[in-house]
Amino acid sequence: MNNGIFKTYALAVCFISLMCGSISTGIMLFNIVKIVAPELTLDSRQYELYDQAVAINPRPMSFRPQRSEIASISSNGEPVFIGESRALTSTPPLSEKEIQKKKDERRLHYIERHKFGAKQSIIYQLIIIFVSSVLFGTHWRLSKKTPNNKT
């Protein structure tokens, strides 16, 4: 085999693995920022949805099905109910303190989900960096062992 082509191949793999490693390192650093300071990296539109009182406070009157008992099981495995009806139920509106408490709970839940996604991504990036490092190390050694062709 031509040593020049083999050395070019080995150095090309080294270059590509360096690019993959550096891109993964940048993404991993961004995910570390997501964990340390999540408020800086949250999607503002999604964050505003969690802050709306309309989504927290239920409508004062809503229809909910009232089911009394199961009569039988249908052919597809679904239960058939006796006396299924729709009853008008009233739910009292929430107070301002209750609304604020629910907003805070939803906001914290959203931040925790954001952090969890960042932790998963960090693991993924570490795997890419590890594989890139192994590829780089082996191909770098191969390129150094290959003698130069001087023709």
Side-chain angles (χ1 to χ4, degrees):
M1 179 179 207
N2 189 351
N3 287 340
I5 294 173
F6 183 72
K7 192 167 189 166
T8 303
Y9 156 76
L11 290 174
V13 171
C14 288
F15 176 75
I16 291 170
S17 65
L18 274 176
M19 292 300 105
C20 289
S22 62
I23 291 169
S24 293
T25 302
I27 294 171
M28 187 175 70
L29 289 174
F30 181 71
N31 284 314
I32 290 171
V33 171
K34 279 184 175 182
I35 293 171
V36 174
E39 293 82 13
L40 297 176
T41 59
L42 291 173
D43 179 21
S44 61
R45 291 174 302 211
Q46 187 71 25
Y47 194 68
E48 287 170 4
L49 287 176
Y50 283 89
D51 202 28
Q52 292 177 355
V54 176
I56 293 170
N57 203 1
R59 289 181 281 169
M61 302 292 262
S62 61
F63 286 102
R64 294 197 181 127
Q66 302 293 319
R67 296 181 175 158
S68 57
E69 60 183 291
I70 297 175
S72 64
I73 304 294
S74 67
S75 60
N76 63 356
E78 294 286 326
V80 177
F81 296 95
I82 294 176
E84 184 173 336
S85 65
R86 291 189 170 265
L88 183 62
T89 58
S90 175
T91 55
L94 298 175
S95 68
E96 286 300 317
K97 283 184 180 180
E98 292 171 322
I99 291 174
Q100 189 60 42
K101 182 181 174 189
K102 286 195 178 228
K103 280 183 185 180
D104 293 341
E105 288 171 0
R106 290 175 68 172
R107 198 176 297 122
L108 287 175
H109 178 71
Y110 179 61
I111 290 172
E112 289 303 314
R113 278 191 8 229
H114 189 68
K115 286 181 179 181
F116 180 74
K119 289 174 188 174
Q120 283 182 323
S121 185
I122 286 174
I123 292 170
Y124 179 67
Q125 300 308 322
L126 286 173
I127 292 169
I128 292 174
I129 291 170
F130 173 74
V131 171
S132 295
S133 299
V134 169
L135 283 173
F136 177 82
T138 55
H139 285 82
W140 183 256
R141 277 189 237 118
L142 286 174
S143 72
K144 289 298 178 187
K145 288 182 182 179
T146 306
N148 289 335
N149 275 348
K150 293 186 179 183
T151 56

